[in-house]
Amino acid sequence: MAESGGLKVKQTCAAGLSRFISFASEYDTPKIVHVKSKKVGLVNRFVQLTVIAYIIGYVIVYKKGYQEFDDVESATTAKLKGVIYTNLTNISDSLNDIINHRIFDVADYVIPPQETDAFFVMTNMVFTPNQTQSICPEDPSMANVNCTVDSDCPKGAPVINGNGVRTGTCNVETKTCNIYAWCPVEKDVLPLPNDSILKDSKRFTVLIKNQIEFIKFGVKRRNVIDIINDKNYLRNCTYSSTSEIDRFCPIFELGTIAKYAKVDYDEISIKGGVIAINIRWDCNLDYSEKQCRPEYSFRRLDNKDVNIAKGLNFRFANYYTDNNRNSRDLVKAYGIRFLIKVTGRAGKFNIVPLFLNIGSGIGLLGIATILCDFLMVHCLRKGYYYYDRKYFIVEDVDKEFSESYQEQVTSSQLQPQNEEEHVRSRVGEYNRFRD
Amino acid sequence: MAESGGLKVKQTCAAGLSRFISFASEYDTPKIVHVKSKKVGLVNRFVQLTVIAYIIGYVIVYKKGYQEFDDVESATTAKLKGVIYTNLTNISDSLNDIINHRIFDVADYVIPPQETDAFFVMTNMVFTPNQTQSICPEDPSMANVNCTVDSDCPKGAPVINGNGVRTGTCNVETKTCNIYAWCPVEKDVLPLPNDSILKDSKRFTVLIKNQIEFIKFGVKRRNVIDIINDKNYLRNCTYSSTSEIDRFCPIFELGTIAKYAKVDYDEISIKGGVIAINIRWDCNLDYSEKQCRPEYSFRRLDNKDVNIAKGLNFRFANYYTDNNRNSRDLVKAYGIRFLIKVTGRAGKFNIVPLFLNIGSGIGLLGIATILCDFLMVHCLRKGYYYYDRKYFIVEDVDKEFSESYQEQVTSSQLQPQNEEEHVRSRVGEYNRFRD
Amino acid sequence: MAESGGLKVKQTCAAGLSRFISFASEYDTPKIVHVKSKKVGLVNRFVQLTVIAYIIGYVIVYKKGYQEFDDVESATTAKLKGVIYTNLTNISDSLNDIINHRIFDVADYVIPPQETDAFFVMTNMVFTPNQTQSICPEDPSMANVNCTVDSDCPKGAPVINGNGVRTGTCNVETKTCNIYAWCPVEKDVLPLPNDSILKDSKRFTVLIKNQIEFIKFGVKRRNVIDIINDKNYLRNCTYSSTSEIDRFCPIFELGTIAKYAKVDYDEISIKGGVIAINIRWDCNLDYSEKQCRPEYSFRRLDNKDVNIAKGLNFRFANYYTDNNRNSRDLVKAYGIRFLIKVTGRAGKFNIVPLFLNIGSGIGLLGIATILCDFLMVHCLRKGYYYYDRKYFIVEDVDKEFSESYQEQVTSSQLQPQNEEEHVRSRVGEYNRFRD
């Protein structure tokens, strides 16, 4: 028993092993019809060439198909520098006395003081100081009614687009209704007709610090880099796209930014606008990390020809209590909003994408075959000669299979005596196939 | 010598040329076994049909497989309009006198005055004016201790969740420890029990300006578009998803936004919340650019059923010096935060992706063959008949290769006299292969 | 007539039908040469195994090739808690009297009070109270000139890096030019030599609420989840990466965040910095949604070794009118900026990607064939024996096609009498092909 059992095991083992070996030493490969035909051959080679050129030239070399990629992770901070003294003696408007002779420094013109990937520089303003909650006539430019008697000013609900709620009385001088509001109401007129108060802000500088990381590759870079071995360089440089060195300087003059963005600073500073500062990190980590440096570009984002709410402005107020009166200074700030957009990706050699691209390339080569088969069979005068050699017809056997198998083989493998007949059948087959 | 050299060159040239020609005029195509079998044929056609339908119908037509795409680059600005007059006579709380009768305008309820792709509208508040750094009793609701004697209030380290540091004395009236803090401390109670001060803010309007660009295609669009040739249209319209024209109006009423976001404005305005304004740009640049228009959708992002820190609120203060006393007005602002999310992509016809999709489609067709081969050989009763025609067995030759090559050819090419034998071997081969 | 017409139709129908049937019951499959060779077979099986392992192991299992994915849509809000009492008796500087003994609460140290996906905590400051627009000497540390007489101070244009514009006079005490500016000018010196005023802010806590959505799957999740059934748990917990429960607590101690980011809080609090709070949602929606939970990680983003503008600071001012004098308190705020970055994606089973991955896998199997064909034909000693069986040479027929078709068939199908000749031609063919 045991013996025979042992024997069985041995046998199964042996069987399994031999089967495995024969399995491992097999190999299936399609039988190829090697056609020699100038016409088809040329087409074939041409298509193959195109595909190979596409794969190698475009996918692998141009699109770096041999690399795996990672997108950039970034953090930015912006710090402005600059002071302006406004000397607007030409302005009589008493309201603006306060800003006629005034120093504007960072704390004054950067609002809010800090943002994520953005900063705002006030370039123009409508200043309305010492407002208190009280009663005063509506701003004529706002009022949609020219009142003469109180009955023109129905007391009640707030005027959504106005500055306050009507008290029900009419102010005969201004010909506008009296309202309960922050008084005096803002006169929405720019202090200078076709100019901005702080257009000299073009001389301000901003230091942009940008830390990036390609997490997949564990590579950290920053845009504050010592191009030259001069400790003081970074303190005093300013960005210039033309200079080999200064195009890596992280300090930008606002005027320069506008220039590169093809914006007239004097014009944009009147009504405000939005300018994007793009920082592009395209890094090929197959080379030295040191090569991984930012590229700056600038462009205006808002549309200067828009017909409503042109430019960029917003209102904010400083609140305080003076002699127990709750007051505020209202500021309508016009200015330029700078958006810092950091993009980029790093590539590093990796076998997997290369493998995949080659694989898919091989797949594409199939197109050549399909095309040429079609050509060969349908377009060549002797198509059915090739068809005959490419296709090997196997009839359905479900019916006449009763006949001995061997005959089947002979009849279809080595054509028997009556060749013409066979051929005829084939040609018919071909014609059916053709149309 | 020279002659013979010249001759050599000529010969090599001739040889190279002829070789190139013969190379260029070659073409390899797999030999195809053309089986006629209803069962397999049907499966084959069905799978092929499925794959083709998938490629053409889904990949190319539905997923626009013939286009290359670019994602949107965007910049937004939001500008609010609206005034509210609060008339809370029902409130006795002296602290709130200041806000009982008060006008709230943009500068009052938009905090901070400007953000990137977002804006906050205050809808409710706890106002604590005229705080100074001094000593006062802790807010009972905050104090975790009910003191009776000073010893209950150990002087020292700040109470992280309190308003200040204990002075070491106990205030007998409030039964809370005295603290050094911004006094008087905030009474964290909403002015109205189940209502918000500024719920009328639902009538405010916001103008959202959105500039987008598809850089790859150099296409710039903005959401402020003149649908109709009426200069004043954009000034007076308000968004409505139902109207053919107004659904492109960039001015939104906050109440409408809430409605579309399925939010009860009165409810959200009490404790605050977060609402997303999605601007979707799906552009098919194969058509006119004019077709490239935004689609707006709205939904609430925060969870109203959260059990801690419900809604949205934050504290800020206005600092000032009054009669040489450093003071501040503390505001706990509840409100709605609107996040503007711009998404979208543009597609334009491009030959490369089309090419690739077709290529991969052809690859997928291979599945039909694999499946059917399996069927044909393993499932059909006469599998080995087809197997015999599909597979052409080539024995390993490393051993008996000593025999003359020609015999090899004959024996395997044109089957010799002893056919049965050959067949038998084949059938065995097949059986081995089958299991 | 009509009859014959009806007949025609019938016939066409019949014809069409029969053609369709024969078309539907056809099936093309490549003829396979089944080679038995240990050498090639092994290589073949090995390559096939590699590809299959890659597809199944890497693409489908590891990379979840059977799922379709959606990226996360998120909204966050942060709410800070904590109070600090500064007791800097060791400081004599009169300017800072105001901050020597002072309570700092949320409204004081969070600037701006609210941001999108970020918050800033002031940890150190230079405080300059009661500035007014007037004339005073420039800060010596700023002045690039040591003046002795007025002529050293040319009146005029603002000094971009200074605090104001020169009046033209020299202040003999400070040896700096008098300037028109916000006076007194800021003395840019930190109150404590190597320490920060608010370093105790490490004990502050922040509650981060994060709402996410996987729109494609309509799944909403939030990070404020009740891990345990204790109503009060979420009110009192603090995050800890080690605890099984507390690692889902949404309340973070700033000191803990710094610790996990490998940052010395005392050091970063002096000059400020940027720390990222990453919230990662990796969800496999094939399991229960409850499994879909956030993972927190922290790291410092700014570079502490940068040689200019180290750390993070910015200036802001509080404006007010005191006794009709426009004044401001200037604050140079140093602090830590926390950026909340939400990433993640959800995967759910879908047949399409699975289908595609398998398809492309089959395509890759082609590599095995290509490689082995090359091996077999070019590397094996008896290459041309296999070559002969794999390739079936079809001569161009454009010339001798005049000859009867049948002969063509016979001549190339069943090799005629003169076998050697035929073989010789083939061998030649092979050699040409080989090199």
Side-chain angles (χ1 to χ4, degrees):
Chain A
M1 263 309 282
E3 260 182 30
S4 73
L7 191 65
K8 254 221 200 70
V9 175
K10 272 214 198 67
Q11 288 170 330
T12 6
C13 283
L17 191 66
S18 70
R19 170 168 295 170
F20 172 78
I21 290 173
S22 67
F23 169 79
S25 64
E26 277 171 359
Y27 165 49
D28 284 353
T29 178
K31 174 135 185 133
I32 297 299
V33 180
H34 184 75
V35 177
K36 291 186 161 182
S37 153
K38 286 191 180 35
K39 292 180 192 124
V40 185
L42 278 171
V43 175
N44 173 42
R45 295 303 184 198
F46 175 74
V47 178
Q48 284 178 338
L49 216 70
T50 323
V51 173
I52 289 168
Y54 164 77
I55 294 298
I56 292 181
Y58 181 77
V59 176
I60 294 184
V61 175
Y62 179 72
K63 284 278 185 193
K64 298 223 169 47
Y66 55 86
Q67 289 189 323
E68 79 171 332
F69 297 100
D70 188 18
D71 283 339
V72 73
E73 271 264 3
S74 137
T76 66
T77 55
K79 193 170 185 188
L80 279 123
K81 266 201 180 149
V83 181
I84 279 187
Y85 175 64
T86 61
N87 190 352
L88 315 175
T89 39
N90 53 336
I91 294 186
S92 56
D93 185 335
S94 63
L95 265 190
N96 284 315
D97 269 350
I98 298 139
I99 62 171
N100 283 358
H101 306 278
R102 177 174 167 169
I103 281 287
F104 285 89
D105 66 8
V106 172
D108 296 326
Y109 59 70
V110 179
I111 307 138
Q114 185 201 43
E115 294 178 82
T116 311
D117 298 336
F119 59 96
F120 172 85
V121 175
M122 181 168 70
T123 57
N124 209 355
M125 71 195 290
V126 174
F127 188 65
T128 317
N130 292 321
Q131 285 186 318
T132 55
Q133 300 254 338
S134 50
I135 292 172
C136 53
E138 173 64 282
D139 175 8
S141 67
M142 283 282 226
N144 3 30
V145 22
N146 252 344
C147 70
T148 50
V149 291
D150 291 356
S151 58
D152 297 343
C153 301
K155 179 176 181 179
V159 190
I160 278 292
N161 287 355
N163 288 314
V165 282
R166 292 176 178 162
T167 56
T169 59
C170 175
N171 182 304
V172 284
E173 291 130 35
T174 60
K175 293 212 174 324
T176 56
C177 304
N178 284 323
I179 54 172
Y180 182 81
W182 282 104
C183 291
V185 296
E186 173 190 82
K187 280 222 193 93
D188 194 356
V189 183
L190 286 173
L192 298 176
N194 283 319
D195 204 352
S196 59
I197 307 177
L198 303 176
K199 73 160 178 250
D200 285 350
S201 53
K202 66 163 74 79
R203 304 219 317 293
F204 293 165
T205 59
V206 57
L207 162 64
I208 296 175
K209 285 197 289 178
N210 177 211
Q211 309 285 341
I212 63 139
E213 183 164 11
F214 296 110
I215 290 163
K216 198 188 281 178
F217 306 124
V219 172
K220 277 188 175 190
R221 299 288 295 162
R222 62 178 204 259
N223 72 328
V224 181
I225 29 180
D226 284 316
I227 302 295
I228 55 177
N229 295 336
D230 177 356
K231 279 273 144 288
N232 296 324
Y233 168 70
L234 281 173
R235 296 178 191 289
N236 310 320
C237 69
T238 56
Y239 174 84
S240 155
S241 64
T242 51
S243 148
E244 251 326 295
I245 294 168
D246 291 343
R247 68 199 180 85
F248 295 115
C249 174
I251 299 169
F252 304 83
E253 217 177 59
L254 299 193
T256 319
I257 293 177
K259 194 186 74 193
Y260 288 131
K262 298 180 190 53
V263 173
D264 173 2
Y265 197 92
D266 293 348
E267 176 268 327
I268 199 177
S269 66
I270 298 171
K271 284 281 192 177
V274 183
I275 294 180
I277 301 172
N278 296 295
I279 308 181
R280 178 93 193 146
W281 294 85
D282 273 326
C283 299
N284 184 341
L285 296 180
D286 293 336
Y287 302 137
S288 147
E289 260 186 41
K290 289 218 174 305
Q291 303 289 328
C292 182
R293 287 172 181 174
E295 251 176 44
Y296 302 94
S297 64
F298 314 87
R299 59 185 221 285
R300 181 171 191 170
L301 288 183
D302 69 316
N303 191 312
K304 60 195 286 271
D305 320 322
V306 66
N307 50 6
I308 65 162
K310 191 174 176 313
L312 172 63
N313 67 72
F314 58 89
R315 287 184 177 80
F316 68 93
N318 302 314
Y319 300 84
Y320 54 88
T321 303
D322 189 15
N323 307 325
N324 304 322
R325 280 170 59 255
N326 295 308
S327 313
R328 75 174 194 183
D329 297 342
L330 177 64
V331 178
K332 183 182 185 185
Y334 294 81
I336 308 172
R337 191 160 173 67
F338 294 89
L339 300 178
I340 307 170
K341 304 195 175 223
V342 181
T343 56
R345 59 178 205 166
K348 198 166 193 165
F349 175 80
N350 186 317
I351 195 67
V352 174
L354 179 60
F355 194 65
L356 288 180
N357 284 318
I358 292 175
S360 65
I362 292 168
L364 283 175
L365 281 175
I367 293 174
T369 313
I370 290 171
L371 189 67
C372 295
D373 283 353
F374 184 85
L375 265 178
M376 181 174 74
V377 174
H378 293 71
C379 309
L380 288 195
R381 215 177 84 260
K382 286 128 220 151
Y384 72 100
Y385 165 81
Y386 294 108
Y387 174 85
D388 178 36
R389 272 136 192 75
K390 178 173 170 62
Y391 291 90
F392 166 54
I393 315 301
V394 177
E395 296 300 333
D396 199 345
V397 286
D398 295 4
K399 27 194 155 14
E400 77 277 6
F401 204 79
S402 50
E403 306 160 23
S404 89
Y405 176 65
Q406 174 173 350
E407 272 164 59
Q408 290 287 346
V409 178
T410 44
S411 71
S412 68
Q413 200 71 359
L414 22 97
Q415 281 73 16
Q417 32 287 56
N418 53 353
E419 187 58 51
E420 299 93 344
E421 200 184 275
H422 167 74
V423 172
R424 231 174 283 111
S425 84
R426 273 187 172 172
V427 175
E429 170 61 37
Y430 168 75
N431 293 335
R432 229 211 76 288
F433 166 90
R434 185 164 197 163
D435 43 40
Chain B
M1 269 305 283
E3 259 182 31
S4 76
L7 189 67
K8 254 223 201 70
V9 174
K10 271 215 198 65
Q11 288 171 329
T12 9
C13 283
L17 191 64
S18 70
R19 170 167 298 171
F20 171 78
I21 289 172
S22 68
F23 169 79
S25 64
E26 276 171 0
Y27 166 50
D28 285 352
T29 178
K31 174 131 184 139
I32 297 300
V33 179
H34 184 75
V35 178
K36 291 185 162 181
S37 153
K38 286 188 179 38
K39 293 180 191 127
V40 186
L42 279 170
V43 176
N44 173 42
R45 294 303 183 197
F46 176 74
V47 178
Q48 284 177 338
L49 216 70
T50 323
V51 173
I52 290 169
Y54 164 77
I55 294 297
I56 293 181
Y58 181 78
V59 176
I60 294 186
V61 175
Y62 179 71
K63 284 277 185 195
K64 297 223 169 47
Y66 55 87
Q67 289 188 324
E68 80 170 330
F69 297 99
D70 188 18
D71 283 338
V72 72
E73 270 265 4
S74 136
T76 66
T77 55
K79 192 170 185 190
L80 279 123
K81 264 200 180 148
V83 181
I84 279 187
Y85 175 64
T86 60
N87 192 351
L88 314 175
T89 38
N90 54 335
I91 294 186
S92 55
D93 185 336
S94 63
L95 264 189
N96 284 316
D97 269 349
I98 298 139
I99 61 170
N100 282 359
H101 305 277
R102 178 175 167 168
I103 281 287
F104 285 89
D105 66 8
V106 172
D108 297 325
Y109 59 71
V110 179
I111 307 137
Q114 186 201 43
E115 294 179 82
T116 311
D117 298 335
F119 59 96
F120 172 85
V121 174
M122 181 168 70
T123 57
N124 209 354
M125 71 195 291
V126 175
F127 189 62
T128 318
N130 293 321
Q131 285 185 319
T132 55
Q133 299 254 338
S134 49
I135 290 171
C136 53
E138 173 64 282
D139 174 10
S141 67
M142 283 281 227
N144 3 31
V145 23
N146 252 344
C147 70
T148 48
V149 292
D150 291 357
S151 58
D152 296 343
C153 301
K155 180 177 181 179
V159 190
I160 278 292
N161 288 355
N163 287 315
V165 283
R166 292 176 178 160
T167 56
T169 58
C170 175
N171 183 304
V172 283
E173 290 129 37
T174 60
K175 293 212 172 327
T176 56
C177 305
N178 285 323
I179 54 172
Y180 183 82
W182 281 105
C183 290
V185 294
E186 173 189 84
K187 279 219 194 96
D188 195 355
V189 183
L190 285 173
L192 298 175
N194 283 318
D195 203 352
S196 59
I197 307 178
L198 303 176
K199 73 163 177 247
D200 285 349
S201 53
K202 66 163 74 78
R203 304 217 320 291
F204 293 166
T205 60
V206 58
L207 162 63
I208 296 175
K209 285 197 290 178
N210 177 211
Q211 309 285 340
I212 64 141
E213 183 166 11
F214 297 109
I215 290 163
K216 197 189 282 181
F217 306 123
V219 172
K220 277 189 175 190
R221 299 288 295 162
R222 65 177 202 260
N223 71 328
V224 182
I225 29 180
D226 283 316
I227 302 295
I228 55 176
N229 293 337
D230 177 355
K231 279 273 144 288
N232 296 324
Y233 168 69
L234 282 173
R235 294 178 193 290
N236 309 320
C237 68
T238 56
Y239 173 84
S240 155
S241 63
T242 51
S243 147
E244 252 324 296
I245 294 168
D246 291 344
R247 67 200 182 85
F248 296 114
C249 175
I251 299 169
F252 304 83
E253 215 177 60
L254 299 194
T256 319
I257 293 177
K259 192 186 74 194
Y260 288 131
K262 297 179 193 52
V263 173
D264 173 1
Y265 197 92
D266 294 347
E267 177 267 327
I268 200 177
S269 64
I270 298 172
K271 285 281 192 173
V274 184
I275 293 179
I277 301 173
N278 296 295
I279 307 181
R280 178 92 194 148
W281 293 85
D282 273 326
C283 298
N284 184 340
L285 296 179
D286 293 337
Y287 303 136
S288 146
E289 261 187 39
K290 290 218 174 305
Q291 303 289 328
C292 182
R293 288 172 180 174
E295 250 176 47
Y296 303 95
S297 63
F298 314 87
R299 59 184 220 286
R300 182 171 191 169
L301 288 181
D302 69 317
N303 191 313
K304 60 196 286 272
D305 319 323
V306 65
N307 49 6
I308 65 161
K310 191 174 175 312
L312 171 63
N313 67 73
F314 57 88
R315 287 185 177 78
F316 68 94
N318 301 314
Y319 300 85
Y320 55 89
T321 303
D322 189 14
N323 307 325
N324 304 320
R325 281 169 60 255
N326 295 307
S327 313
R328 75 175 193 183
D329 297 341
L330 177 64
V331 179
K332 183 181 185 185
Y334 295 81
I336 308 171
R337 192 161 171 65
F338 295 89
L339 300 178
I340 306 170
K341 304 196 173 219
V342 181
T343 57
R345 58 178 206 167
K348 198 169 193 161
F349 175 81
N350 187 317
I351 194 68
V352 175
L354 180 60
F355 194 64
L356 289 180
N357 285 318
I358 292 174
S360 65
I362 292 167
L364 282 175
L365 282 174
I367 294 173
T369 314
I370 291 171
L371 189 66
C372 295
D373 283 353
F374 184 85
L375 264 178
M376 182 173 74
V377 175
H378 292 71
C379 309
L380 288 195
R381 215 177 84 257
K382 287 126 218 151
Y384 73 100
Y385 165 81
Y386 294 108
Y387 174 85
D388 177 35
R389 270 136 192 75
K390 178 174 172 60
Y391 290 91
F392 166 54
I393 314 303
V394 177
E395 295 299 334
D396 198 347
V397 287
D398 295 4
K399 28 197 155 11
E400 77 277 7
F401 205 79
S402 51
E403 306 160 22
S404 90
Y405 176 64
Q406 174 172 351
E407 272 164 56
Q408 291 285 346
V409 178
T410 44
S411 70
S412 68
Q413 201 72 357
L414 20 98
Q415 282 73 16
Q417 36 285 61
N418 53 355
E419 188 57 51
E420 300 93 343
E421 199 183 274
H422 168 73
V423 173
R424 230 173 286 109
S425 83
R426 274 184 171 177
V427 175
E429 170 62 36
Y430 166 76
N431 293 334
R432 228 210 77 286
F433 164 90
R434 185 163 196 163
D435 41 41
Chain C
M1 265 309 281
E3 260 183 30
S4 74
L7 191 66
K8 255 222 200 70
V9 174
K10 272 214 198 66
Q11 287 171 331
T12 6
C13 282
L17 191 65
S18 70
R19 171 168 296 171
F20 171 78
I21 289 173
S22 67
F23 169 79
S25 63
E26 276 172 1
Y27 165 50
D28 284 352
T29 177
K31 173 132 185 139
I32 297 301
V33 179
H34 183 75
V35 177
K36 291 185 162 181
S37 153
K38 287 191 177 37
K39 292 181 192 125
V40 185
L42 279 170
V43 175
N44 173 43
R45 294 304 183 198
F46 175 74
V47 178
Q48 283 177 337
L49 216 70
T50 322
V51 173
I52 289 169
Y54 164 76
I55 294 297
I56 293 181
Y58 181 77
V59 176
I60 294 185
V61 176
Y62 180 72
K63 286 277 186 194
K64 297 221 171 47
Y66 55 86
Q67 290 188 323
E68 80 171 330
F69 296 99
D70 188 17
D71 283 339
V72 73
E73 270 266 3
S74 136
T76 66
T77 54
K79 192 170 186 190
L80 278 124
K81 265 200 180 150
V83 181
I84 280 187
Y85 175 64
T86 60
N87 191 351
L88 315 174
T89 39
N90 53 336
I91 293 185
S92 57
D93 185 334
S94 64
L95 265 189
N96 283 315
D97 268 350
I98 298 137
I99 62 171
N100 282 358
H101 306 278
R102 177 173 168 169
I103 282 286
F104 285 90
D105 65 9
V106 172
D108 297 326
Y109 59 70
V110 178
I111 308 137
Q114 185 201 43
E115 294 179 81
T116 311
D117 298 335
F119 59 97
F120 172 85
V121 175
M122 182 168 68
T123 56
N124 209 355
M125 71 195 290
V126 175
F127 189 64
T128 318
N130 293 320
Q131 286 185 319
T132 55
Q133 299 255 339
S134 51
I135 291 171
C136 54
E138 174 64 282
D139 174 10
S141 68
M142 283 282 226
N144 5 29
V145 21
N146 252 343
C147 70
T148 48
V149 292
D150 291 356
S151 59
D152 296 344
C153 300
K155 180 178 181 180
V159 189
I160 279 291
N161 287 355
N163 288 314
V165 282
R166 292 175 179 161
T167 56
T169 59
C170 175
N171 183 302
V172 284
E173 289 130 34
T174 60
K175 293 211 172 326
T176 56
C177 304
N178 285 323
I179 55 172
Y180 183 81
W182 282 104
C183 290
V185 295
E186 173 189 81
K187 280 221 191 94
D188 195 357
V189 184
L190 285 173
L192 298 174
N194 282 318
D195 204 352
S196 59
I197 307 177
L198 303 176
K199 74 163 176 244
D200 285 350
S201 53
K202 66 163 74 79
R203 303 217 319 292
F204 293 166
T205 59
V206 58
L207 161 63
I208 296 176
K209 285 197 289 178
N210 177 210
Q211 309 285 343
I212 64 141
E213 183 165 11
F214 296 109
I215 290 161
K216 197 188 284 179
F217 306 124
V219 172
K220 277 188 174 190
R221 298 288 295 162
R222 63 178 203 257
N223 71 328
V224 181
I225 28 180
D226 283 315
I227 302 296
I228 54 177
N229 293 337
D230 177 357
K231 279 273 142 288
N232 295 324
Y233 169 69
L234 282 173
R235 295 178 192 290
N236 309 320
C237 68
T238 56
Y239 173 84
S240 154
S241 64
T242 51
S243 147
E244 249 326 295
I245 294 168
D246 291 342
R247 67 201 183 84
F248 296 115
C249 174
I251 299 169
F252 304 83
E253 216 177 59
L254 299 193
T256 319
I257 292 176
K259 192 186 75 193
Y260 288 131
K262 298 181 193 49
V263 173
D264 173 1
Y265 197 94
D266 293 347
E267 177 268 327
I268 200 177
S269 66
I270 297 172
K271 284 281 193 175
V274 183
I275 293 180
I277 300 173
N278 296 296
I279 307 181
R280 178 92 194 147
W281 294 84
D282 274 326
C283 298
N284 185 340
L285 296 179
D286 294 336
Y287 302 137
S288 146
E289 260 187 40
K290 290 218 173 305
Q291 303 289 327
C292 182
R293 287 173 181 173
E295 250 176 46
Y296 303 94
S297 63
F298 314 87
R299 58 184 222 286
R300 181 170 191 169
L301 288 182
D302 69 317
N303 191 314
K304 61 194 285 271
D305 321 321
V306 65
N307 50 5
I308 65 161
K310 191 174 175 312
L312 172 62
N313 66 73
F314 57 89
R315 287 186 178 78
F316 69 93
N318 301 314
Y319 300 85
Y320 54 88
T321 303
D322 190 15
N323 307 325
N324 304 321
R325 280 169 62 254
N326 296 308
S327 313
R328 75 174 193 183
D329 297 341
L330 178 64
V331 178
K332 182 180 186 186
Y334 295 81
I336 308 173
R337 190 160 174 66
F338 294 89
L339 300 179
I340 307 170
K341 304 196 174 219
V342 182
T343 57
R345 58 177 204 165
K348 198 167 193 162
F349 175 81
N350 186 317
I351 195 66
V352 175
L354 179 61
F355 194 65
L356 288 181
N357 283 319
I358 292 175
S360 65
I362 291 168
L364 282 175
L365 282 175
I367 294 175
T369 314
I370 290 170
L371 188 67
C372 295
D373 283 352
F374 184 85
L375 264 177
M376 182 174 73
V377 176
H378 292 70
C379 308
L380 290 194
R381 215 176 85 258
K382 288 127 217 152
Y384 74 100
Y385 165 80
Y386 294 108
Y387 174 84
D388 178 35
R389 271 135 191 77
K390 178 173 171 61
Y391 290 92
F392 166 54
I393 315 301
V394 176
E395 295 299 334
D396 198 346
V397 286
D398 295 6
K399 29 195 155 9
E400 78 276 7
F401 205 79
S402 50
E403 307 161 22
S404 90
Y405 177 65
Q406 172 174 349
E407 272 163 56
Q408 290 288 345
V409 178
T410 44
S411 71
S412 68
Q413 200 72 358
L414 22 97
Q415 281 75 16
Q417 35 286 53
N418 54 352
E419 187 57 51
E420 299 94 344
E421 197 182 279
H422 168 74
V423 172
R424 231 174 283 111
S425 83
R426 275 186 171 177
V427 176
E429 171 60 36
Y430 166 75
N431 292 336
R432 229 212 76 290
F433 165 89
R434 183 164 196 163
D435 45 39

